[in-house]
Amino acid sequence: HLTVVPGRQHHRATAPTRDGVAVRDALRTTRFWLLAAAFVAQGAATSAVSVLLVAYLRHAGQPATTAATISGLLGVLSVTGRLATTGLARRHGMTTVTAAVFAIQAAGAATLPYLAGSLAWAAVCITAFGLGFGVATIARPAILAHRYGTHRYTTITGAMNVPITLAKATAPLGAATLGVNHFLPFTAAACLLAAGLLWSARN
């Protein structure tokens, strides 16, 4: 590894351009913190659902096998959501499309408490939530690189990843404290908040 990977001097000599915003300037912008808050809220919601969904469906009366099977839609739909987001972002912009996907997530989480007793409708709600399950993974880097350039990209995205990681780590515990039967409305509110914040920062 030490003998093959080019050193810092080589990168400095061969780098074609250094476009981008300085870290200090990026962190001073309101839009950076709007984006950070959006991805923190959505990350927390996604983490909580991924941990507690099977238990929630079991409390709703679904058999263990059924609950585990339809919860697997989250992983399957995350790929679909990424493909759809990538395609639509070329026409409408990544921030706008991601906001729309987060709003769909909010709708799925908000309606699941009323439809969880029906296997078909529970699958529809989980499908709606699953569409946004993996979108943040591709949307956040694309949005940050587009807005702030690539020169200080790793430092800027690292600054945003710290609160996101903390939110993902603590959200399941917070949701469990609320109770398996009561956490979904808060999840829906978090996704809706994320959608609104992204929408306000889309330009």
Side-chain angles (χ1 to χ4, degrees), residues 27 32-33 35-44 47 140 155-171:
L27 297 182
F32 175 86
W33 295 108
L35 293 172
F39 286 112
V40 164
Q42 193 269 348
S47 179
R140 187 170 66 253
T155 305
I156 293 172
T157 192
M160 186 177 290
N161 281 339
V162 170
I164 293 173
T165 302
L166 291 174
K168 287 182 176 181
T170 57

Side-chain angles (χ1 to χ4, degrees), residues 34-43 45 94-107 143 187-203:
L34 289 175
L35 293 172
F39 286 112
V40 164
Q42 193 269 348
M94 181 62 79
T95 308
T96 300
V97 173
T98 304
V101 171
F102 288 176
I104 293 173
Q105 275 194 296
I143 293 170
T187 299
C191 290
L192 189 61
L193 173 64
L197 291 171
L198 282 183
W199 184 260
S200 65
R202 68 190 185 281
N203 293 328

Side-chain angles (χ1 to χ4, degrees), residues 61-115:
Q62 298 293 347
T65 303
T66 302
T69 301
I70 61 177
S71 295
L73 290 172
L74 292 175
V76 175
L77 271 299
S78 68
V79 178
T80 305
R82 290 175 183 178
L83 293 174
T85 300
T86 302
L88 292 171
R90 295 171 184 167
R91 174 174 293 186
H92 303 289
M94 181 62 79
T95 308
T96 300
V97 173
T98 304
V101 171
F102 288 176
I104 293 173
Q105 275 194 296
T111 53
L112 183 57
Y114 305 99
L115 303 173

